[in-house]
Amino acid sequence: MTDIENIIEVALVHQRNGKLQRARYLYDKILEIDPRNSDAIHLIGMIEYSGHKYELAIALIKKAIKLSPGIPDYHINLTSCYIAASNLLKAKQHALIAITLDYNSHKAFYNLGNILFAEGDPEGAVINYKKALSVKSDNQSIWSNYLFALNFSVGSNPETIFLENRKWGQQLEQKIKGSKNFFINKSLNRVLKIAYYLPEMDSHVTPRFIRPLLFNHNRSKFEIFGYGHQQNDLKENQEFTNQFTFWLNTKNLSIKKIAERMREDKIDILVHPCTFKSRYRQILAHRPAPIQIASTNLVSTTGLKAVDFLITDSTISPKETNINLYTEKLIYLSQVNIYQALENSPNISELPAFRNNYITFGSCNNIAKINIEVIETWSRILNSVPNSKLLLKHRSLENILQKQRISSSFHEFGIERGRLILEGFTSNSFDYLNVYNKIDVSLDPFPFGGGTVSYESLWMGVPILTMLGELFMGRLCGSLMKQVGLNNWIVNSRSDYISLAISLSLNLAELDKIRRTLRQRAQLSIFDGAKYTREFESALLKVWGDYIKN
């Protein structure tokens, strides 16, 4: 090993340990000796990438590739830079080059899967995640994105979802062995210790679902513990964390250590409210509490035998649901979850069709949900309703290439660009919610329907046309529409979906009537935190009582 190679090894250790300035100093010293050292240039680029300076990172790594074009890692990391910079076209080019250079690179296939998912091709994403797993079967990031993407894929069914989640769960269970001992106070008449686990809580919407529970919990019956952290280094939201009886920032703790701490704290029931990504579920395999419940922000079974219960409702999991497709026992509540009231929001406008003289359909869902079958279905609606328009809003539409891709996809089914209103990211929540004052009817995608955006739409007075699917997240919107008394907006086939959209567009008086009363209906049901919390707490007390008796 040469002196330069030795210095690079030392610098890499510093870089991996977060000592970026020290690493950068050593790379600069290498370049003083050898200005054409592509490894040093590439690794400086990765330092810039970690500092979110994506354009500078891209320029540096491209320079390294020009010097040494045949190194797969350069193209893999340049792919990551382009993904972060929202340039999916360039990202895909370099992901494919990396695969050509090294067909056994799990990172290259993983990157390509991420790109295809962002482009609205979950089927392609699933194929590439599976290829990545065939190379690196124990990589939790790949498993997490693969299992999540399965729920978006038109080709998925409940059996596949269960079997793949269980395959992941069994692999994890084999690594985490040994019985867990608990100190259990068997008294029924005491305050129960309930824990919520919220990893990376600034990167997903789960806190918005938990707030009503924290505000309404009966503190004479429950002591509320919270364990979680943020991805970024900003100060924690104390308005949120202060609502817990006890809060532990787990930023620098391993999953094993967090589980040990929960056992030390003698938690009775662990409620895991964000199992939608498998990497968030790993703590459950460590069995930190005698009773463990998956709830709130979930998309399927957890696939883990250590999870005792999963909260659902009769629309999402009808009574004829095959219980063998869950590792958990099902707890049925009147609705699957609750969402925080959107207090700082605009007033609801009159029906936009009255001022526009045309119907505006809309969706603020993730573009990844808008697959080719959804595009064909929505195009048939637009072609059948004269002068109608479709408003799509999502942060990925900030990117001109993404806009062009969406426009081209609709054009294939006869929809001109002028019929589409494509809007990107709006940082201010008030202004973001105001987009619903441009929409007459929200359209729910499939097979993965709306989550957060469905609550927002109903709060803003915009009813949602939805088709019940087979999967968990293909039925959530139907559950919400039943709660607000709009069962007739739920269909079971694409043909009925199209027919109902056409029929609804012809009855503006009915749309206006619904619009003027929908927020109140929602406040009395899907936003009624006090009512939901009482039902939720009753379920907790029942499972605890059954556990003690048995």
Side-chain angles (χ1 to χ4, degrees):
M1 187 177 284
T2 66
D3 288 342
I4 285 180
E5 287 172 335
N6 279 321
I7 296 171
I8 283 181
E9 286 297 316
V10 172
L12 265 173
V13 171
H14 288 312
Q15 191 166 348
R16 288 169 183 154
N17 291 331
K19 298 176 181 178
L20 302 184
Q21 287 184 331
R22 182 61 184 164
R24 177 64 184 263
Y25 171 81
L26 293 174
Y27 294 139
D28 286 337
K29 286 295 182 184
I30 290 170
L31 292 176
E32 288 177 11
I33 301 167
D34 178 10
R36 294 174 59 83
N37 188 291
S38 60
D39 282 341
I41 295 168
H42 162 245
L43 291 168
I44 291 173
M46 292 309 295
I47 289 175
E48 300 297 352
Y49 169 76
S50 65
H52 309 293
K53 297 176 182 177
Y54 303 126
E55 295 304 325
L56 183 53
I58 288 168
L60 285 162
I61 299 174
K62 283 174 70 176
K63 183 178 178 181
I65 288 172
K66 191 172 182 179
L67 293 166
S68 304
I71 299 179
D73 278 354
Y74 293 3
H75 294 278
I76 288 168
N77 288 332
L78 185 56
T79 300
S80 299
C81 292
Y82 276 126
I83 291 173
S86 300
N87 190 334
L88 298 182
L89 181 64
K90 288 287 188 181
K92 187 184 289 186
Q93 289 174 359
H94 285 276
L96 292 170
I97 292 171
I99 289 168
T100 302
L101 292 170
D102 182 3
Y103 196 76
N104 289 316
S105 171
H106 68 278
K107 293 179 182 177
F109 283 115
Y110 174 67
N111 275 342
L112 185 55
N114 291 339
I115 294 162
L116 293 171
F117 184 79
E119 287 184 340
D121 181 10
E123 289 75 26
V126 164
I127 289 168
N128 281 279
Y129 291 142
K130 288 180 79 170
K131 288 179 180 177
L133 285 170
S134 71
V135 179
K136 191 75 171 173
S137 62
D138 61 347
N139 185 290
Q140 291 302 319
S141 294
I142 302 171
W143 268 112
S144 191
N145 286 12
Y146 166 60
L147 293 175
F148 190 58
L150 275 177
N151 296 279
F152 290 71
S153 175
V154 174
S156 293
N157 56 52
E159 290 76 17
T160 301
I161 298 289
F162 169 77
L163 289 172
E164 293 302 288
N165 276 279
R166 187 64 194 125
K167 185 188 296 183
W168 165 81
Q170 287 174 318
Q171 184 187 91
L172 190 63
E173 288 163 355
Q174 288 170 4
K175 293 180 180 178
I176 303 170
K177 294 182 178 179
S179 61
K180 306 297 185 291
N181 297 315
F182 303 99
F183 170 81
I184 301 173
N185 182 337
K186 294 185 178 182
S187 170
L188 285 172
N189 299 313
R190 67 176 178 84
V191 175
L192 290 180
K193 291 184 175 182
I194 307 300
Y196 290 95
Y197 180 55
L198 291 158
E200 299 179 358
M201 62 181 182
D202 56 331
S203 67
H204 49 87
V205 297
T206 309
R208 303 181 197 176
F209 290 90
I210 296 302
R211 280 192 177 92
L213 286 164
L214 296 177
F215 184 77
N216 289 286
H217 266 312
N218 185 338
R219 302 302 171 119
S220 67
K221 293 183 177 180
F222 300 95
E223 194 174 4
I224 310 302
F225 287 66
Y227 304 81
H229 70 275
Q230 297 182 160
Q231 268 192 317
N232 64 40
D233 294 323
L234 297 176
K235 187 177 180 181
E236 282 183 337
N237 182 346
Q238 290 190 334
E239 175 271 327
F240 178 70
T241 58
N242 285 346
Q243 293 184 61
F244 293 90
T245 310
F246 169 85
W247 173 261
L248 178 67
N249 186 330
T250 60
K251 177 83 172 181
N252 298 313
L253 296 178
S254 68
I255 292 172
K256 183 180 179 180
K257 288 292 184 184
I258 299 168
E260 289 173 356
R261 178 59 187 267
M262 288 184 184
R263 284 193 288 275
E264 290 172 5
D265 291 337
K266 300 176 182 176
I267 298 301
D268 297 308
I269 301 175
L270 170 58
V271 177
H272 196 321
C274 50
T275 63
F276 66 101
K277 286 288 185 80
S278 65
R279 60 195 174 92
Y280 295 156
R281 304 175 201 159
Q282 294 179 70
I283 192 168
L284 294 163
H286 289 267
R287 179 60 88 168
I291 295 177
Q292 303 194 137
I293 301 175
S295 75
T296 309
N297 191 0
L298 66 172
V299 296
S300 68
T301 179
T302 64
L304 293 168
K305 289 290 187 182
V307 184
D308 305 291
F309 300 99
L310 181 147
I311 288 179
T312 185
D313 66 37
S314 60
T315 302
I316 292 173
S317 306
K319 294 299 182 180
E320 62 271 20
T321 294
N322 184 350
I323 59 172
N324 293 322
L325 298 181
Y326 289 88
T327 52
E328 312 85 0
K329 293 179 181 178
L330 301 183
I331 294 176
Y332 283 90
L333 302 184
S334 60
Q335 63 190 63
V336 68
N337 56 25
I338 193 70
Y339 195 72
Q340 67 181 24
L342 305 171
E343 300 296 355
N344 182 30
S345 56
N347 293 327
I348 298 170
S349 73
E350 68 170 356
L351 192 72
F354 287 155
R355 59 180 183 269
N356 293 331
N357 294 316
Y358 58 80
I359 283 283
T360 303
F361 298 101
S363 170
C364 296
N365 277 281
N366 188 331
I367 293 299
K369 299 179 185 181
I370 303 177
N371 57 61
I372 197 66
E373 288 191 13
V374 170
I375 290 172
E376 180 188 8
T377 302
W378 291 357
S379 296
R380 288 175 63 185
I381 292 170
L382 292 174
N383 282 323
S384 301
V385 180
N387 302 317
S388 60
K389 295 191 177 186
L390 174 65
L391 189 157
L392 301 179
K393 183 174 180 63
H394 185 253
R395 64 173 61 243
S396 68
L397 292 174
E398 288 289 305
N399 186 285
I400 187 67
L401 295 175
Q402 184 74 299
K403 280 187 176 182
Q404 290 172 354
R405 188 190 68 79
I406 290 290
S407 299
S408 297
S409 296
F410 276 96
H411 189 264
E412 290 180 17
F413 297 102
I415 304 302
E416 298 299 324
R417 177 65 179 85
R419 304 281 300 279
L420 302 174
I421 304 166
L422 305 179
E423 296 189 6
F425 178 66
T426 301
S427 59
N428 181 278
S429 60
F430 184 96
D431 294 337
Y432 161 71
L433 289 171
N434 211 28
V435 73
Y436 288 101
N437 281 327
K438 304 176 185 177
I439 299 172
D440 297 291
V441 174
S442 284
L443 298 177
D444 196 33
F446 50 85
F448 195 113
T452 304
V453 297
S454 298
Y455 288 90
E456 293 166 347
S457 182
L458 296 175
W459 179 268
M460 288 303 299
V462 185
I464 309 163
L465 172 57
T466 186
M467 178 174 69
L468 287 181
E470 289 187 292
L471 308 182
F472 198 98
M473 281 303 298
R475 305 179 71 87
L476 173 62
C477 194
S479 173
L480 300 182
M481 292 302 284
K482 282 187 179 181
Q483 294 295 322
V484 297
L486 294 176
N487 300 46
N488 58 320
W489 284 66
I490 305 167
V491 298
N492 293 296
S493 69
R494 287 174 67 189
S495 59
D496 287 345
Y497 189 103
I498 295 165
S499 297
L500 184 55
I502 297 168
S503 174
L504 292 169
S505 70
L506 298 174
N507 194 343
L508 299 188
E510 179 64 17
L511 290 178
D512 181 56
K513 179 181 176 183
I514 292 171
R515 192 179 190 89
R516 286 186 280 108
T517 60
L518 189 50
R519 181 179 289 182
Q520 184 179 18
R521 293 193 204 186
Q523 286 173 318
L524 295 173
S525 54
I526 60 175
F527 292 96
D528 189 343
K531 176 185 173 185
Y532 180 83
T533 305
R534 297 289 83 78
E535 187 178 9
F536 182 78
E537 289 178 340
S538 294
L540 298 184
L541 291 170
K542 183 180 187 309
V543 298
W544 180 254
D546 291 344
Y547 176 78
I548 293 301
K549 290 174 186 175
N550 295 328

PDB file of all heavy atoms in Angstrom, residues 236-256:
ATOM      1  N   GLU A 236     -35.388  19.950  19.237  1.00  0.00           N
ATOM      2  CA  GLU A 236     -36.640  19.203  19.257  1.00  0.00           C
ATOM      3  C   GLU A 236     -37.833  20.135  19.475  1.00  0.00           C
ATOM      4  O   GLU A 236     -37.724  21.190  20.095  1.00  0.00           O
ATOM      5  CB  GLU A 236     -36.626  18.170  20.387  1.00  0.00           C
ATOM      6  CG  GLU A 236     -35.824  16.935  20.076  1.00  0.00           C
ATOM      7  CD  GLU A 236     -35.917  15.919  21.197  1.00  0.00           C
ATOM      8  OE1 GLU A 236     -36.216  16.307  22.356  1.00  0.00           O
ATOM      9  OE2 GLU A 236     -35.666  14.760  20.926  1.00  0.00           O
ATOM     10  N   ASN A 237     -38.969  19.711  18.950  1.00  0.00           N
ATOM     11  CA  ASN A 237     -40.210  20.440  19.135  1.00  0.00           C
ATOM     12  C   ASN A 237     -40.718  20.183  20.554  1.00  0.00           C
ATOM     13  O   ASN A 237     -41.367  19.173  20.822  1.00  0.00           O
ATOM     14  CB  ASN A 237     -41.237  19.981  18.089  1.00  0.00           C
ATOM     15  CG  ASN A 237     -42.544  20.740  18.189  1.00  0.00           C
ATOM     16  OD1 ASN A 237     -42.809  21.424  19.174  1.00  0.00           O
ATOM     17  ND2 ASN A 237     -43.374  20.619  17.179  1.00  0.00           N
ATOM     18  N   GLN A 238     -40.399  21.089  21.451  1.00  0.00           N
ATOM     19  CA  GLN A 238     -40.743  20.865  22.864  1.00  0.00           C
ATOM     20  C   GLN A 238     -42.242  20.944  23.105  1.00  0.00           C
ATOM     21  O   GLN A 238     -42.748  20.317  24.041  1.00  0.00           O
ATOM     22  CB  GLN A 238     -39.999  21.862  23.744  1.00  0.00           C
ATOM     23  CG  GLN A 238     -38.495  21.590  23.805  1.00  0.00           C
ATOM     24  CD  GLN A 238     -37.801  22.427  24.867  1.00  0.00           C
ATOM     25  OE1 GLN A 238     -38.263  23.492  25.230  1.00  0.00           O
ATOM     26  NE2 GLN A 238     -36.664  21.930  25.356  1.00  0.00           N
ATOM     27  N   GLU A 239     -42.954  21.689  22.274  1.00  0.00           N
ATOM     28  CA  GLU A 239     -44.420  21.721  22.406  1.00  0.00           C
ATOM     29  C   GLU A 239     -44.973  20.304  22.283  1.00  0.00           C
ATOM     30  O   GLU A 239     -45.950  19.945  22.960  1.00  0.00           O
ATOM     31  CB  GLU A 239     -45.001  22.636  21.323  1.00  0.00           C
ATOM     32  CG  GLU A 239     -46.525  22.686  21.265  1.00  0.00           C
ATOM     33  CD  GLU A 239     -47.118  21.608  20.353  1.00  0.00           C
ATOM     34  OE1 GLU A 239     -46.467  21.267  19.340  1.00  0.00           O
ATOM     35  OE2 GLU A 239     -48.210  21.099  20.686  1.00  0.00           O
ATOM     36  N   PHE A 240     -44.331  19.496  21.436  1.00  0.00           N
ATOM     37  CA  PHE A 240     -44.759  18.104  21.248  1.00  0.00           C
ATOM     38  C   PHE A 240     -44.211  17.201  22.353  1.00  0.00           C
ATOM     39  O   PHE A 240     -44.963  16.483  23.015  1.00  0.00           O
ATOM     40  CB  PHE A 240     -44.300  17.612  19.875  1.00  0.00           C
ATOM     41  CG  PHE A 240     -44.637  16.182  19.589  1.00  0.00           C
ATOM     42  CD1 PHE A 240     -45.955  15.790  19.385  1.00  0.00           C
ATOM     43  CD2 PHE A 240     -43.639  15.213  19.528  1.00  0.00           C
ATOM     44  CE1 PHE A 240     -46.273  14.463  19.126  1.00  0.00           C
ATOM     45  CE2 PHE A 240     -43.954  13.889  19.270  1.00  0.00           C
ATOM     46  CZ  PHE A 240     -45.274  13.513  19.062  1.00  0.00           C
ATOM     47  N   THR A 241     -42.906  17.237  22.578  1.00  0.00           N
ATOM     48  CA  THR A 241     -42.300  16.309  23.537  1.00  0.00           C
ATOM     49  C   THR A 241     -42.744  16.575  24.970  1.00  0.00           C
ATOM     50  O   THR A 241     -42.767  15.660  25.797  1.00  0.00           O
ATOM     51  CB  THR A 241     -40.764  16.356  23.457  1.00  0.00           C
ATOM     52  OG1 THR A 241     -40.307  17.690  23.710  1.00  0.00           O
ATOM     53  CG2 THR A 241     -40.285  15.927  22.072  1.00  0.00           C
ATOM     54  N   ASN A 242     -43.117  17.813  25.290  1.00  0.00           N
ATOM     55  CA  ASN A 242     -43.570  18.136  26.645  1.00  0.00           C
ATOM     56  C   ASN A 242     -44.916  17.488  26.992  1.00  0.00           C
ATOM     57  O   ASN A 242     -45.309  17.451  28.162  1.00  0.00           O
ATOM     58  CB  ASN A 242     -43.686  19.652  26.831  1.00  0.00           C
ATOM     59  CG  ASN A 242     -42.324  20.314  26.986  1.00  0.00           C
ATOM     60  OD1 ASN A 242     -41.318  19.642  27.208  1.00  0.00           O
ATOM     61  ND2 ASN A 242     -42.285  21.626  26.853  1.00  0.00           N
ATOM     62  N   GLN A 243     -45.613  16.989  25.979  1.00  0.00           N
ATOM     63  CA  GLN A 243     -46.904  16.355  26.249  1.00  0.00           C
ATOM     64  C   GLN A 243     -46.755  14.934  26.796  1.00  0.00           C
ATOM     65  O   GLN A 243     -47.723  14.330  27.228  1.00  0.00           O
ATOM     66  CB  GLN A 243     -47.755  16.347  24.972  1.00  0.00           C
ATOM     67  CG  GLN A 243     -48.175  17.748  24.535  1.00  0.00           C
ATOM     68  CD  GLN A 243     -49.101  17.710  23.335  1.00  0.00           C
ATOM     69  OE1 GLN A 243     -50.185  17.141  23.384  1.00  0.00           O
ATOM     70  NE2 GLN A 243     -48.675  18.317  22.240  1.00  0.00           N
ATOM     71  N   PHE A 244     -45.529  14.411  26.750  1.00  0.00           N
ATOM     72  CA  PHE A 244     -45.266  13.106  27.344  1.00  0.00           C
ATOM     73  C   PHE A 244     -44.933  13.280  28.827  1.00  0.00           C
ATOM     74  O   PHE A 244     -44.318  14.264  29.227  1.00  0.00           O
ATOM     75  CB  PHE A 244     -44.095  12.423  26.638  1.00  0.00           C
ATOM     76  CG  PHE A 244     -44.381  12.037  25.215  1.00  0.00           C
ATOM     77  CD1 PHE A 244     -44.115  12.917  24.177  1.00  0.00           C
ATOM     78  CD2 PHE A 244     -44.929  10.794  24.910  1.00  0.00           C
ATOM     79  CE1 PHE A 244     -44.376  12.573  22.859  1.00  0.00           C
ATOM     80  CE2 PHE A 244     -45.191  10.436  23.597  1.00  0.00           C
ATOM     81  CZ  PHE A 244     -44.917  11.326  22.566  1.00  0.00           C
ATOM     82  N   THR A 245     -45.316  12.306  29.639  1.00  0.00           N
ATOM     83  CA  THR A 245     -44.911  12.308  31.038  1.00  0.00           C
ATOM     84  C   THR A 245     -43.387  12.255  31.137  1.00  0.00           C
ATOM     85  O   THR A 245     -42.771  12.912  31.972  1.00  0.00           O
ATOM     86  CB  THR A 245     -45.509  11.083  31.766  1.00  0.00           C
ATOM     87  OG1 THR A 245     -46.912  11.008  31.500  1.00  0.00           O
ATOM     88  CG2 THR A 245     -45.250  11.173  33.264  1.00  0.00           C
ATOM     89  N   PHE A 246     -42.822  11.451  30.244  1.00  0.00           N
ATOM     90  CA  PHE A 246     -41.369  11.312  30.175  1.00  0.00           C
ATOM     91  C   PHE A 246     -40.976  11.190  28.710  1.00  0.00           C
ATOM     92  O   PHE A 246     -41.615  10.456  27.950  1.00  0.00           O
ATOM     93  CB  PHE A 246     -40.910  10.074  30.949  1.00  0.00           C
ATOM     94  CG  PHE A 246     -39.471   9.718  30.717  1.00  0.00           C
ATOM     95  CD1 PHE A 246     -38.466  10.327  31.455  1.00  0.00           C
ATOM     96  CD2 PHE A 246     -39.111   8.790  29.747  1.00  0.00           C
ATOM     97  CE1 PHE A 246     -37.135  10.012  31.228  1.00  0.00           C
ATOM     98  CE2 PHE A 246     -37.782   8.471  29.515  1.00  0.00           C
ATOM     99  CZ  PHE A 246     -36.792   9.086  30.257  1.00  0.00           C
ATOM    100  N   TRP A 247     -39.938  11.904  28.296  1.00  0.00           N
ATOM    101  CA  TRP A 247     -39.463  11.836  26.907  1.00  0.00           C
ATOM    102  C   TRP A 247     -37.961  11.564  26.900  1.00  0.00           C
ATOM    103  O   TRP A 247     -37.199  12.210  27.619  1.00  0.00           O
ATOM    104  CB  TRP A 247     -39.734  13.142  26.162  1.00  0.00           C
ATOM    105  CG  TRP A 247     -39.108  13.169  24.785  1.00  0.00           C
ATOM    106  CD1 TRP A 247     -37.930  13.766  24.432  1.00  0.00           C
ATOM    107  CD2 TRP A 247     -39.603  12.548  23.609  1.00  0.00           C
ATOM    108  NE1 TRP A 247     -37.660  13.556  23.098  1.00  0.00           N
ATOM    109  CE2 TRP A 247     -38.677  12.807  22.559  1.00  0.00           C
ATOM    110  CE3 TRP A 247     -40.732  11.783  23.320  1.00  0.00           C
ATOM    111  CZ2 TRP A 247     -38.855  12.335  21.259  1.00  0.00           C
ATOM    112  CZ3 TRP A 247     -40.916  11.314  22.023  1.00  0.00           C
ATOM    113  CH2 TRP A 247     -39.989  11.592  21.023  1.00  0.00           C
ATOM    114  N   LEU A 248     -37.529  10.593  26.073  1.00  0.00           N
ATOM    115  CA  LEU A 248     -36.112  10.291  25.922  1.00  0.00           C
ATOM    116  C   LEU A 248     -35.703  10.484  24.467  1.00  0.00           C
ATOM    117  O   LEU A 248     -36.266   9.851  23.568  1.00  0.00           O
ATOM    118  CB  LEU A 248     -35.813   8.842  26.336  1.00  0.00           C
ATOM    119  CG  LEU A 248     -34.348   8.403  26.166  1.00  0.00           C
ATOM    120  CD1 LEU A 248     -33.449   9.173  27.147  1.00  0.00           C
ATOM    121  CD2 LEU A 248     -34.208   6.900  26.368  1.00  0.00           C
ATOM    122  N   ASN A 249     -34.720  11.364  24.261  1.00  0.00           N
ATOM    123  CA  ASN A 249     -34.153  11.547  22.921  1.00  0.00           C
ATOM    124  C   ASN A 249     -33.228  10.365  22.630  1.00  0.00           C
ATOM    125  O   ASN A 249     -32.225  10.170  23.304  1.00  0.00           O
ATOM    126  CB  ASN A 249     -33.382  12.862  22.849  1.00  0.00           C
ATOM    127  CG  ASN A 249     -32.883  13.175  21.447  1.00  0.00           C
ATOM    128  OD1 ASN A 249     -32.594  12.288  20.655  1.00  0.00           O
ATOM    129  ND2 ASN A 249     -32.783  14.459  21.132  1.00  0.00           N
ATOM    130  N   THR A 250     -33.570   9.583  21.606  1.00  0.00           N
ATOM    131  CA  THR A 250     -32.832   8.350  21.324  1.00  0.00           C
ATOM    132  C   THR A 250     -31.841   8.503  20.172  1.00  0.00           C
ATOM    133  O   THR A 250     -31.369   7.499  19.623  1.00  0.00           O
ATOM    134  CB  THR A 250     -33.825   7.224  20.970  1.00  0.00           C
ATOM    135  OG1 THR A 250     -34.589   7.622  19.810  1.00  0.00           O
ATOM    136  CG2 THR A 250     -34.770   6.955  22.128  1.00  0.00           C
ATOM    137  N   LYS A 251     -31.509   9.743  19.837  1.00  0.00           N
ATOM    138  CA  LYS A 251     -30.679  10.027  18.652  1.00  0.00           C
ATOM    139  C   LYS A 251     -29.401   9.189  18.619  1.00  0.00           C
ATOM    140  O   LYS A 251     -29.032   8.652  17.582  1.00  0.00           O
ATOM    141  CB  LYS A 251     -30.323  11.517  18.638  1.00  0.00           C
ATOM    142  CG  LYS A 251     -29.409  11.965  17.498  1.00  0.00           C
ATOM    143  CD  LYS A 251     -30.163  12.221  16.225  1.00  0.00           C
ATOM    144  CE  LYS A 251     -29.284  12.843  15.166  1.00  0.00           C
ATOM    145  NZ  LYS A 251     -29.982  13.141  13.921  1.00  0.00           N
ATOM    146  N   ASN A 252     -28.723   9.074  19.727  1.00  0.00           N
ATOM    147  CA  ASN A 252     -27.414   8.404  19.743  1.00  0.00           C
ATOM    148  C   ASN A 252     -27.452   7.019  20.385  1.00  0.00           C
ATOM    149  O   ASN A 252     -26.415   6.491  20.800  1.00  0.00           O
ATOM    150  CB  ASN A 252     -26.387   9.294  20.463  1.00  0.00           C
ATOM    151  CG  ASN A 252     -26.191  10.625  19.751  1.00  0.00           C
ATOM    152  OD1 ASN A 252     -26.026  10.668  18.535  1.00  0.00           O
ATOM    153  ND2 ASN A 252     -26.231  11.714  20.507  1.00  0.00           N
ATOM    154  N   LEU A 253     -28.651   6.450  20.467  1.00  0.00           N
ATOM    155  CA  LEU A 253     -28.791   5.133  21.073  1.00  0.00           C
ATOM    156  C   LEU A 253     -29.082   4.078  20.008  1.00  0.00           C
ATOM    157  O   LEU A 253     -29.824   4.337  19.059  1.00  0.00           O
ATOM    158  CB  LEU A 253     -29.925   5.125  22.099  1.00  0.00           C
ATOM    159  CG  LEU A 253     -29.749   6.021  23.333  1.00  0.00           C
ATOM    160  CD1 LEU A 253     -30.978   5.924  24.219  1.00  0.00           C
ATOM    161  CD2 LEU A 253     -28.501   5.610  24.119  1.00  0.00           C
ATOM    162  N   SER A 254     -28.516   2.886  20.176  1.00  0.00           N
ATOM    163  CA  SER A 254     -28.837   1.781  19.277  1.00  0.00           C
ATOM    164  C   SER A 254     -30.239   1.271  19.592  1.00  0.00           C
ATOM    165  O   SER A 254     -30.788   1.524  20.675  1.00  0.00           O
ATOM    166  CB  SER A 254     -27.830   0.649  19.454  1.00  0.00           C
ATOM    167  OG  SER A 254     -27.986   0.051  20.736  1.00  0.00           O
ATOM    168  N   ILE A 255     -30.818   0.545  18.645  1.00  0.00           N
ATOM    169  CA  ILE A 255     -32.147  -0.022  18.867  1.00  0.00           C
ATOM    170  C   ILE A 255     -32.142  -0.951  20.077  1.00  0.00           C
ATOM    171  O   ILE A 255     -33.069  -0.928  20.900  1.00  0.00           O
ATOM    172  CB  ILE A 255     -32.619  -0.766  17.597  1.00  0.00           C
ATOM    173  CG1 ILE A 255     -32.873   0.239  16.470  1.00  0.00           C
ATOM    174  CG2 ILE A 255     -33.883  -1.569  17.876  1.00  0.00           C
ATOM    175  CD1 ILE A 255     -33.145  -0.379  15.125  1.00  0.00           C
ATOM    176  N   LYS A 256     -31.093  -1.729  20.213  1.00  0.00           N
ATOM    177  CA  LYS A 256     -30.980  -2.639  21.355  1.00  0.00           C
ATOM    178  C   LYS A 256     -30.978  -1.869  22.673  1.00  0.00           C
ATOM    179  O   LYS A 256     -31.651  -2.258  23.642  1.00  0.00           O
ATOM    180  CB  LYS A 256     -29.707  -3.476  21.228  1.00  0.00           C
ATOM    181  CG  LYS A 256     -29.545  -4.511  22.327  1.00  0.00           C
ATOM    182  CD  LYS A 256     -28.266  -5.322  22.144  1.00  0.00           C
ATOM    183  CE  LYS A 256     -28.093  -6.342  23.264  1.00  0.00           C
ATOM    184  NZ  LYS A 256     -26.849  -7.129  23.103  1.00  0.00           N
TER     185      LYS A 256
END
